[in-house]
């Protein structure tokens, strides 16, 4: 039986409250602050750029003196216009939308070159404002484009059909086609003014893309471009470069989100205008970020636009990286079924070398693959399920934890997971943010996971939309009324805590209720939009069967010139998890329950992690029944209460009375402290060092290791036979990433006798080492080799930079790698000739194969030989492996081998197949054990190896007698390639493998060398 926890009348009331909330802020902005950027809701004055303090980037990056709040609010007005009920005491929303468009055009012109292009404030956005590129794109360009799409009917507004039954407006002809005009009731004639203004604003941002890397510079002056970036290609011919007004050189550091999250707006702008520059440059910047990802698939939070080097090694899912992941998935959605951008790059950005992208980087599936790869890396290295699932901030190269806090921006991520089809993960991680809101009646900017409080005093909430955004997406996917009540909680708390006579204030401190004198443009443009769409379940956008997206600023965007039934090429399926490009079904409802989310057995785990149980129960509040003329309660406003109306989101009568809670997930962990070998010994830096393979431990004396027992974190191929392994999670207080390895020298165990840290020989797997025949290498001084390498590298780089040192390219315009090689060899060939006259020494050339020992009643231990060192050990000399003679046979299933095979050879190589392994051994003649006789049988398999040969019978001689001197056997993979290596072998040896156990459980990420 379907049960609805929220009646239609209640939803209608919440829609009305949301509309009233919007108009309370919007009307006061238009009355008090327009045409300035934002409103100060406490002092009831406009908020403008901080001209006296240019370094105040928190304000100046966003406010560009172009009526930002109006631009950000137009798409919200268009969304509200589809409401079936008018707002009290207000004109219809779409009428206000049309009036807002008219006001904007009056102040900034219509985007043409003629007299109509001149507005009250200027011609377009020709203002002396240095703004952040990212914020200007998502708020300014995105807001103008979204409003244009609503104006021409490409995005739906209930009851608005500007061209009747005619096809949607051909937007790429909008600028020049003056015949396509829409007459509005207010007398304004719309013919693409918003699109032309978006183009004007977009062109003013193009100089930012003249960096050496293709990553956009973080800031640009809308009037003068980027004279403050000395190394920009746009400034190469200028004698000097300006600094900012404070006298400091402009920083070139940007964030991954800022550089890589421009595709939606710039692609839409290119497709609507036919100018390919925006789409190409935005995609190029995206790939410049992604192509610098670490080997484990993570990106850093900060990157330098000029050098392309990472400036911040921290990564997570929040600030600095958030919208990069969002735009990877949403670019796939927006571009799916679209043709590649038509036209050539005839329009150029002066001095920009970045107007091209590879074919593989232009397809929608390429962006989907980025999202799936990124999500896999995040789930592997940043996701934690201790107590309740959440994400940590880690080092992007190692995955090692760096900061034990979450930020409010990361609350968007469950919504993105929902769009990506990762619904289970989205539901569970969203619960923590909901619990935090219940605790603080807002989301603090940062919250500490470790101590359960606001992190570093960062307790403000400026009206951010991320939690309501995820709540909206989760409700659309599940239809669970839980999320409607979450939205109601958020709505009530904002009304209760953030109302002022002139608008809506942010919270300076969520704990005290102190208000901030600023109404951010995204509060009207994004937060209220998501809230309204949540409550208006039948809104045209909620039922639109088309691949539209909501940008990171909440602006709806769509491309209508789609290809019918265009086949989509599937990407390579090499990711962990669900790669189907379809959304999963909503979780099945639990019988006799109203909310599947409320009935989850881990529902209170999130509350526990948020320490919600330590907060006093919420007192009763007046239900804000007294409303003023604008529909907002002016009485009973309380900002001091810091926890929400609902103790835990839902009214108590909707909580299952017989619900149960599962056991909170914990991990068994412990620490090992090793004593010093000598009484006066101190722990030195030489004891632990970081190497390319991981953390190298040279000595255990005085060292502390943190070890955790964890079952869920391992892939199937990593699990031990007992189904669980231990993992070293810290070395000397240094936290490690999930896949970081710890290398420990065998000699370090010399004085260690501890059952909690026991080195054990692996009886199953060993390394078969093969040394090839003599390889001569010249003896050269280390400094000489370094100098030659450095000089050759410099020469190669200069060639790449265009200096061919007198050489000419024959018949090619593109520099071929062979050209570089030939030039460098001609320049440095004398070094090779000279080296041939120098003394030479034998150099060990080793190959290593995985060798698996036999099992069964016929198996015997490997021969007792000394261990050989690592194959990449530079101290290893040639000719030290013990076994020199090898006899090669076929499958050895027919007839006895010659006596010399076992008496005169130390190794017999046999091919796998045709008969059992026991039968193969029975074909080997008896022999007197000695150093020169048979030591080992190596079976070569044609597969990759790793399979244990089974000796299912005791060993017999060819005469049928029980073999007195049994023969050890191993099997290796590689087939003919392995046979070729063994045929060239000068020596062969076995290196035992060791692992470390603690109380009988192996430590998975520790390797003994």
């Amino acid at each position: 039986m379907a049960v609805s926890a929220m009646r239609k009348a209640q939803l209608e009331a919440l829609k009305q409250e949301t509309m009233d909330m919007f108009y309370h802020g919007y009307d006061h902005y238009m009355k008090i602050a327009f045409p300035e950027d934002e409103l100060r809701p406490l002092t009831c004055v406009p908020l403008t750029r901080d001209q006296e303090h240019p370094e105040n980037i928190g304000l100046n990056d966003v406010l560009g003196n172009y009526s930002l709040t109006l631009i950000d609010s137009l798409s919200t007005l268009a969304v509200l216009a589809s409401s079936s009920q008018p707002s009290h005491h207000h004109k219809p929303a779409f009428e206000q939308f049309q009036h807002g468009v008219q006001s904007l055009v009056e102040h900034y012109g219509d985007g043409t070159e003629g007299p109509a292009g001149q507005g009250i404030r200027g011609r377009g956005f020709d203002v002396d404002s240095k703004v952040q590129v990212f914020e200007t794109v998502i708020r300014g360009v995105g807001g103008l484009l979204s409003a244009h799409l609503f104006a021409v009917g490409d995005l739906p507004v209930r009851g608005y059909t500007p061209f009747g039954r005619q096809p949607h407006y051909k937007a790429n002809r909008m600028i020049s086609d003056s015949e396509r005009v829409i007459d509005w009731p207010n007398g304004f004639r719309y013919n693409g003014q918003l699109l032309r203004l978006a183009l004007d604003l977009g062109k003013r941002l193009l100089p930012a893309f003249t960096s050496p890397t293709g990553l956009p510079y973080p800031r640009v002056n809308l009037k003068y471009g980027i004279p403050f970036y000395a190394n920009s290609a746009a400034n190469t011919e200028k004698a000097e470069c300006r600094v900012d007004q404070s006298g400091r050189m402009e920083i070139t550091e940007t964030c991954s989100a800022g550089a890589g999250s421009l595709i939606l707006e710039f692609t839409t702008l290119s497709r609507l205008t036919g100018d390919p520059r925006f789409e190409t440059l935005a995609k190029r910047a995206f790939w410049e970020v992604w192509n610098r990802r670490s080997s484990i698939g993570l990106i850093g939070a900060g990157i330098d636009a000029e050098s392309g080097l990472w400036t911040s090694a921290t990564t997570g899912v929040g600030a600095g990286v958030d919208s990069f992941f969002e735009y990877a998935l949403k670019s796939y959605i927006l571009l799916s079924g679209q043709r590649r951008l038509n036209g050539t790059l005839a329009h150029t950005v002066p001095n920009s070398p970045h107007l091209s992208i590879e074919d593989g980087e232009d397809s929608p599936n390429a962006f989907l693959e980025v999202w799936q790869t990124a999500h896999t890396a995040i789930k592997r290295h940043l996701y934690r399920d201790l107590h309740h699932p959440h994400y940590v901030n880690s080092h992007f190269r190692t995955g090692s934890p760096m900061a034990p806090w979450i930020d409010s921006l990361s609350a968007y991520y469950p919504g993105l997971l929902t769009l990506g089809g990762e619904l289970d993960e989205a539901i569970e991680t969203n619960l923590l943010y909901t619990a935090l809101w219940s605790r603080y009646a807002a989301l603090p900017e940062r919250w500490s996971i470790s101590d359960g409080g606001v992190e570093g005093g960062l307790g403000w909430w400026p009206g951010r939309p991320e939690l309501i955004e995820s709540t909206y997406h989760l409700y659309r996917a599940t239809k669970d009324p839980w999320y409607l009540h979450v939205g109601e909680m958020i709505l009530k708390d904002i009304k209760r805590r953030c109302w002022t006579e002139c608008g809506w204030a942010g919270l300076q401190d969520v704990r005290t209720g102190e208000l901030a004198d600023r109404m951010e443009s995204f509060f009207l443009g994004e937060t209220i939009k998501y809230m309204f769409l949540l409550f208006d379940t039948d809104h045209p956008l909620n039922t639109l069967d088309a691949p539209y997206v909501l940008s990171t600023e909440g602006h709806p965007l769509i491309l209508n010139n789609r290809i019918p039934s265009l086949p989509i090429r599937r990407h390579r399926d090499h990711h962990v998890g669900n790669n189907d490009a379809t959304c999963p079904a909503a979780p099945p409802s639990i019988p006799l329950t109203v909310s599947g989310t409320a009935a989850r057995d881990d529902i209170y785990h999130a509350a526990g992690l948020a320490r919600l149980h330590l907060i006093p129960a919420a007192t009763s509040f007046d239900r804000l029944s007294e409303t003023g003329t604008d529909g907002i309660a002016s009485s009973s406003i309380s900002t001091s209460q810091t926890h929400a109306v609902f103790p835990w989101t839902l009214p108590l009568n909707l909580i299952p009375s017989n619900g149960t809670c599962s056991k909170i997930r914990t991990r068994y962990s412990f620490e090992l402290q090793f004593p010093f070998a000598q009484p006066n010994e101190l722990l030195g830096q030489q004891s632990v060092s970081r190497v390319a393979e991981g953390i190298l431990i040279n000595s255990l004396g005085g060292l502390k290791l943190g070890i955790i027992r964890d079952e869920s974190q391992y892939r199937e191929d990593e699990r031990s036979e007992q189904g669980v392994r231990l993992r070293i999670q810290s070395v000397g207080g240094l936290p490690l990433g999930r896949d970081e390895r710890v290398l420990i020298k065998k000699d370090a165990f010399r004085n260690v006798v501890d059952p909690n840290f026991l080195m054990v020989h692996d009886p199953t797997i060993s390394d078969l080492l093969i040394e090839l025949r003599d390889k001569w290498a010249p003896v050269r001084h280390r400094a000489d080799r370094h100098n030659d390498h450095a000089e050759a590298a410099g020469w190669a780089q200069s060639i790449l930079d265009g200096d061919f040192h007198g050489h000419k390219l024959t018949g090619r315009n593109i520099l071929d790698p062979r050209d570089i090689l030939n030039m460098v060899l001609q320049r440095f060939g004398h070094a090779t000739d000279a080296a041939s006259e120098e003394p030479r020494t034998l150099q060990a050339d080793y190959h290593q194969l995985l060798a698996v020992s036999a099992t069964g009643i016929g198996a015997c231990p490997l021969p007792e030989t000394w261990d050989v060192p690592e194959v990449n050990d530079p101290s290893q000399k040639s000719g030290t492996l013990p076994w020199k003679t090898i006899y090669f046979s076929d499958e050895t299933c027919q007839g006895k081998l010659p006596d010399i095979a076992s008496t005169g050879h130390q190794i017999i190589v046999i091919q796998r197949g045709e008969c059992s392994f026991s039968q193969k051994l029975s074909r080997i003649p008896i022999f007197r054990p000695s150093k020169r006789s048979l030591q080992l049988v190596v079976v070569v398999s044609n597969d990759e190896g790793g399979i244990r040969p089974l000796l299912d019978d005791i060993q017999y001689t060819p005469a049928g007698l029980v073999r007195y001197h049994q023969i050890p056997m191993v099997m290796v993979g590689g087939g003919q390639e392995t046979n070729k290596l063994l045929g060239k072998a000068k020596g062969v040896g076995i290196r035992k493998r060791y692992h470390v156990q603690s109380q009988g459980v192996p430590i998975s990420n520790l390797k003994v060398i």
Side-chain angles (χ1 to χ4, degrees):
M1 179 178 66
V3 180
S4 175
M6 190 170 283
R7 292 186 175 92
K8 184 176 181 180
Q10 189 175 359
L11 283 173
E12 292 295 325
L14 292 173
K15 283 169 51 180
Q16 185 64 60
E17 286 187 58
T18 306
M19 294 180 68
D20 291 340
M21 176 179 286
F22 172 81
Y23 284 120
H24 178 67
Y26 178 77
D27 288 350
H28 282 96
Y29 163 75
M30 293 299 292
K31 179 180 178 180
I32 297 172
F34 179 79
E36 303 301 339
D37 285 315
E38 288 183 348
L39 168 69
R40 289 191 181 274
L42 297 179
T43 54
C44 299
V45 296
L47 177 62
T48 60
R49 291 175 59 82
D50 190 349
Q51 302 289 357
E52 296 182 359
H53 302 91
E55 70 279 4
N56 184 6
I57 59 177
L59 197 66
N60 293 333
D61 271 0
V62 176
L63 306 187
N65 281 342
Y66 55 82
S67 308
L68 177 63
T69 296
L70 175 58
I71 293 176
D72 232 355
S73 300
L74 287 176
S75 64
T76 305
L77 279 167
V79 167
L80 297 180
S82 291
S83 174
S84 58
Q85 59 186 100
S87 178
H88 299 307
H89 313 294
H90 290 96
K91 296 178 182 179
F94 204 66
E95 183 177 333
Q96 296 209 47
F97 169 84
Q98 294 167 338
H99 177 73
V101 173
Q102 182 178 8
S103 298
L104 197 67
V105 173
E106 288 174 352
H107 282 79
Y108 300 98
D110 68 354
T112 62
E113 298 294 332
Q118 180 66 44
I120 298 173
R121 304 197 89 189
R123 183 175 290 275
F125 301 106
D126 187 30
V127 292
D128 185 7
S129 299
K130 185 173 69 175
V131 294
Q132 189 187 87
V133 173
F134 170 66
E135 291 289 354
T136 306
V137 169
I138 65 171
R139 301 198 199 197
V141 176
L144 291 167
L145 291 173
S146 184
H148 166 75
L149 292 169
F150 278 113
V152 300
D154 281 354
L155 286 170
V157 177
R158 186 176 283 121
Y160 177 65
T161 54
F163 303 110
R165 297 180 177 273
Q166 299 178 33
H168 282 164
Y169 203 89
K170 294 296 184 181
N172 61 343
R173 299 173 56 204
M174 190 67 177
I175 293 178
S176 59
D177 192 347
S178 60
E179 296 179 359
R180 304 289 286 181
V181 175
I182 307 171
D183 291 313
W184 285 345
N186 61 353
F188 184 77
R189 308 190 75 198
Y190 186 78
N191 65 357
Q193 292 92 331
L194 293 178
L195 178 56
R196 290 193 291 270
L197 286 174
L199 180 62
D200 174 83
L201 186 56
K203 287 180 177 179
R204 297 177 186 278
L205 302 175
L206 290 180
F209 293 87
T210 56
S211 73
T213 60
L215 295 164
Y217 284 112
R219 294 173 181 86
V220 65
N221 187 291
L222 295 178
K223 188 179 187 70
Y224 298 110
I226 54 168
F228 33 78
Y229 292 119
N231 296 323
S232 166
N235 295 325
T236 55
E237 298 179 359
K238 295 184 179 181
E240 60 182 38
C241 180
R242 286 183 4 187
V243 297
D244 65 21
Q245 297 179 24
S246 65
R248 303 175 307 170
M249 292 300 296
E250 188 68 28
I251 62 172
T252 57
E253 177 186 356
T254 185
C255 64
S256 296
S261 306
L262 311 173
I263 295 179
L264 300 183
E265 294 83 1
F266 269 16
T267 295
T268 303
L269 183 58
S270 284
R271 299 301 174 100
L272 293 179
T273 63
D275 186 340
R277 292 177 295 175
F278 306 101
E279 179 176 349
T280 304
L281 290 170
K283 288 179 177 178
R284 178 73 269 142
F286 176 91
W287 291 110
E288 288 296 333
V289 173
W290 181 245
N291 291 338
R292 288 172 169 81
R293 66 190 181 278
S294 70
S295 60
I296 61 175
L298 298 174
I299 59 175
I303 191 169
D304 188 86
E306 289 190 341
S307 67
L309 300 177
W310 294 106
T311 58
S312 172
T314 305
T315 191
V317 296
V321 295
D322 47 3
S323 55
F324 181 88
F325 308 128
E326 180 184 0
Y327 274 40
L329 178 58
K330 290 183 178 179
S331 294
Y332 164 73
I333 297 172
L334 185 69
L335 293 170
S336 292
Q338 294 284 336
R339 287 189 174 91
R340 292 186 60 186
L341 180 61
N342 293 324
T344 61
L345 299 179
H347 304 285
T348 61
V349 180
N351 302 303
S352 175
H354 309 293
L355 285 168
S356 64
I357 50 179
E358 301 294 332
D359 288 341
E361 298 174 342
D362 198 30
S363 69
N365 286 83
F367 294 100
L368 176 62
E369 190 167 333
V370 170
W371 156 246
Q372 291 176 322
T373 302
H375 172 251
T376 297
I378 290 169
K379 188 70 179 287
R380 176 73 180 171
H381 300 287
L382 306 183
Y383 175 88
R384 297 290 185 271
D385 60 356
L386 290 179
H387 203 118
H388 185 80
H390 60 279
Y391 303 95
V392 298
N393 299 284
S394 299
H395 196 289
F396 84 109
R397 295 196 186 279
T398 64
S400 55
M402 295 184 68
W405 48 258
I406 61 176
D407 59 17
S408 63
L409 287 171
S410 63
Y412 84 100
Y413 194 65
L416 183 62
L417 290 170
T418 304
L419 289 177
E422 305 292 340
L423 198 52
D424 290 340
E425 185 183 348
I427 292 172
E428 64 183 11
T429 53
N430 175 260
L431 286 175
L432 177 58
Y433 298 105
T434 307
L436 287 174
W437 185 284
S438 293
R439 174 177 174 179
Y440 292 105
L443 283 184
E445 186 72 4
R446 286 185 185 176
W447 181 79
S448 173
I449 299 172
S450 57
D451 62 27
V454 171
E455 169 72 18
L458 305 181
W460 60 79
W461 180 75
R464 294 198 189 279
E466 284 73 21
L467 176 57
I468 192 67
E469 174 187 353
S470 288
T471 301
Y472 162 73
H473 286 301
L474 279 164
Y475 177 73
R476 297 309 308 170
T478 66
K479 300 302 173 61
D480 191 326
W482 166 276
Y483 300 104
L484 296 176
H485 285 280
V486 173
E488 182 185 14
M489 173 180 68
I490 294 172
L491 174 66
K492 300 292 186 183
D493 286 336
I494 294 174
K495 290 179 63 175
R496 179 170 57 86
R497 307 191 74 193
C498 302
W499 180 92
T500 73
E501 290 186 3
C502 297
W504 301 98
L507 293 171
Q508 189 62 37
D509 193 322
V510 299
R511 298 164 294 186
T512 65
E514 177 187 356
L515 296 177
D517 195 13
R518 183 177 182 183
M519 186 174 72
E520 294 263 11
S521 70
F522 55 67
F523 179 74
L524 299 180
E526 191 174 4
T527 305
I528 293 181
K529 182 187 289 111
Y530 277 117
M531 198 175 305
F532 184 82
L533 289 173
L534 171 66
F535 298 136
D536 192 354
T537 57
D538 297 323
H539 193 279
L541 282 178
N542 289 333
T543 58
L544 181 62
D545 186 15
Y548 82 96
V549 295
L550 288 157
S551 73
T552 195
E553 189 69 10
H555 293 303
L557 298 171
I558 193 171
L559 302 177
N560 274 323
N561 53 330
R562 299 180 55 78
I563 305 171
S565 304
L566 180 70
I568 298 178
R569 177 170 52 87
R570 302 296 296 177
H571 63 283
R572 295 186 305 276
D573 187 6
H574 65 272
H575 302 288
V576 179
N578 176 23
N579 285 325
D580 295 332
T582 58
C583 292
S589 59
I590 301 174
L592 304 179
T593 63
V594 174
S595 167
T597 303
R600 288 173 62 97
D601 59 4
D602 64 346
I603 186 70
Y604 285 98
H605 297 179
L609 183 58
R611 281 73 163 182
L612 191 59
H613 58 290
L614 303 179
I615 306 302
T619 58
S620 61
F621 290 100
D622 294 332
R623 303 305 292 179
L624 304 180
S625 57
E626 300 179 25
T627 58
T629 57
D630 56 2
I632 301 298
S634 56
S635 63
S636 305
I637 297 295
S638 170
T639 60
S640 60
Q641 189 69 42
T642 58
H643 49 279
V645 175
F646 301 136
W648 177 230
T649 304
L650 286 179
L652 291 177
N653 64 334
L654 295 182
I655 299 293
S657 60
N658 60 346
T660 58
C661 183
S662 64
K663 183 178 180 180
I664 291 179
R665 183 181 293 275
T666 58
R667 296 281 186 273
Y668 171 70
S669 62
F670 59 94
E671 288 186 340
L672 293 178
Q673 177 79 54
F674 296 92
F676 289 106
Q678 303 298 329
N680 298 324
E681 184 180 359
L682 296 177
L683 183 64
Q685 293 183 350
Q686 66 275 12
S687 299
V688 179
S689 60
R690 184 177 291 278
V691 295
E693 294 83 3
I695 304 296
L696 175 63
I697 298 177
N698 296 301
S699 172
L700 288 169
L703 195 63
K704 180 184 291 186
L705 300 179
I707 301 177
I708 187 170
R709 183 181 182 126
D710 193 355
E711 299 124 18
S712 66
Q713 68 179 2
Y714 297 107
R715 305 184 184 102
E716 290 300 322
D717 59 348
E718 293 176 328
R719 295 182 185 273
S720 66
E721 294 179 359
Q722 294 83 7
V724 63
R725 289 190 178 189
L726 300 175
R727 175 174 63 89
I728 296 179
Q729 64 175 350
S730 65
V731 176
L734 174 69
L736 303 184
R738 177 162 289 179
D739 289 342
E740 275 200 279
R741 303 180 70 187
V742 178
L743 311 176
I744 184 168
K745 292 190 174 181
K746 183 181 175 183
D747 293 343
F749 287 89
R750 187 172 301 161
N751 299 314
V752 176
V753 181
D754 189 340
N756 292 311
F757 203 73
L758 184 64
M759 183 176 69
V760 179
H761 169 233
D762 192 330
T764 302
I765 299 177
S766 303
D767 293 318
L768 185 72
L769 264 63
I770 304 171
E771 181 186 0
L772 301 187
R773 300 189 187 277
D774 293 349
K775 177 181 178 182
W776 290 94
V779 177
R780 302 186 63 192
H781 296 291
R782 183 183 302 271
D784 293 339
R785 294 197 303 271
H786 175 77
N787 291 337
D788 281 350
H789 292 165
E791 188 178 357
W795 239 68
Q797 184 60 53
S798 67
I799 294 171
L800 288 172
D801 293 338
D803 183 3
F804 301 143
H805 303 280
H807 294 272
K808 294 183 178 180
L809 303 182
T810 58
R812 291 189 301 272
N813 294 321
I814 300 175
L815 190 63
D816 191 280
R818 291 170 296 183
D819 294 320
I820 302 176
L821 179 61
N822 290 334
M823 295 178 196
V824 174
L825 287 177
Q826 290 182 40
R827 171 65 178 83
F828 294 93
H830 66 277
T832 305
D833 296 338
S836 62
E837 300 175 359
E838 296 180 7
R840 294 188 297 169
T841 182
L842 287 176
Q843 184 181 67
D845 184 14
Y846 291 101
H847 288 261
Q848 176 178 306
L849 300 175
L850 175 70
V852 184
S853 301
T855 185
I857 60 175
C860 68
L862 294 176
E864 290 295 332
T865 63
W866 62 87
D867 277 347
V868 298
E870 294 283 336
V871 295
N872 56 358
D873 188 344
S875 65
Q876 174 72 347
K877 297 180 180 180
S878 176
T880 58
L881 297 185
W883 304 321
K884 314 294 184 182
T885 54
I886 304 175
Y887 183 89
F888 290 85
S889 180
D890 54 12
E891 286 79 9
T892 318
C893 295
Q894 302 294 330
K896 170 189 169 186
L897 293 179
D899 290 346
I900 193 64
S902 56
T903 60
H905 297 86
Q906 296 163 309
I907 292 179
I908 294 178
V909 177
I910 296 175
Q911 309 308 305
R912 182 185 179 187
E914 302 296 336
C915 60
S916 70
F917 296 104
S918 294
Q919 289 173 327
K920 295 177 186 295
L921 289 185
S922 68
R923 304 293 189 264
I924 299 176
I926 60 173
F927 58 94
R928 182 186 300 275
S930 70
K931 292 183 178 180
R932 296 184 177 181
S933 62
L934 182 62
Q935 306 290 320
L936 179 69
V937 169
V938 178
V939 179
V940 178
S941 174
N942 286 322
D943 56 26
E944 295 180 357
I947 301 175
R948 282 191 92 174
L950 174 63
L951 296 175
D952 54 359
D953 200 353
I954 59 175
Q955 292 191 22
Y956 291 97
T957 67
L961 303 176
V962 175
R963 190 182 294 277
Y964 183 72
H965 298 294
Q966 294 195 343
I967 305 171
M969 172 187 284
V970 297
M971 187 160 67
V972 297
Q976 289 303 314
E977 291 298 322
T978 297
N979 287 323
K980 291 178 182 178
L981 285 175
L982 289 168
K984 301 176 183 177
K986 176 182 178 180
V988 178
I990 283 284
R991 184 180 62 230
K992 296 178 181 179
R993 286 197 180 186
Y994 299 88
H995 66 264
V996 178
Q997 293 181 349
S998 182
Q999 300 179 2
V1001 181
I1003 300 177
S1004 64
N1005 63 334
L1006 191 151
K1007 179 181 179 182
V1008 180
I1009 62 174

